[in-house]
């Protein structure tokens, strides 16, 4: 995978809520479980400001295109 192939998109499969952690993990090549645990810890230790950041990222990161309908 080259730099041109990397896209920050929320996947349609393999996500828990809206796919933000899965998108970040896929983009940086990390394990999605580590990203989710890191997100939960950061949210707990920053007085739940991670919840606001999550909803902002849901709006900012586009969803993966549907491969059946264009």
């Amino acid at each position: 995978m080259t730099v041109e192939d990397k896209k920050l998109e929320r996947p349609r499969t393999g996500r828990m809520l809206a796919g933000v952690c899965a998108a970040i993990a896929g983009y940086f090549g990390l394990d999605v479980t580590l990203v989710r645990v890191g997100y939960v810890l950061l949210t707990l230790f920053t007085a739940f400001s991670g919840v606001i950041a999550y909803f902002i990222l849901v709006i900012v990161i586009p969803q993966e295109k549907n491969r059946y309908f264009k």
Side-chain angles (χ1 to χ4, degrees):
M1 179 179 257
T2 63
V3 175
E4 294 85 21
D5 294 337
K6 290 175 74 172
K7 292 183 181 178
L8 184 60
E9 294 179 328
R10 293 182 291 123
R12 292 184 176 270
T13 59
R15 58 191 202 180
M16 296 289 265
L17 293 175
V20 172
C21 292
I24 292 170
Y27 185 77
F28 290 110
L30 301 171
D31 183 26
V32 69
T33 305
L34 292 175
V35 175
R36 288 176 181 150
V37 169
Y39 168 74
V40 169
L41 290 175
L42 284 173
T43 300
L44 291 175
F45 290 119
T46 59
F48 295 96
S49 62
V51 175
I52 296 168
Y54 190 88
F55 286 118
I56 291 171
L57 289 174
V58 167
I59 295 168
V60 171
I61 300 174
Q63 187 167 350
E64 180 180 51
K65 301 283 188 236
N66 189 343
R67 66 182 184 164
Y68 299 111
F69 301 105
K70 299 207 180 212

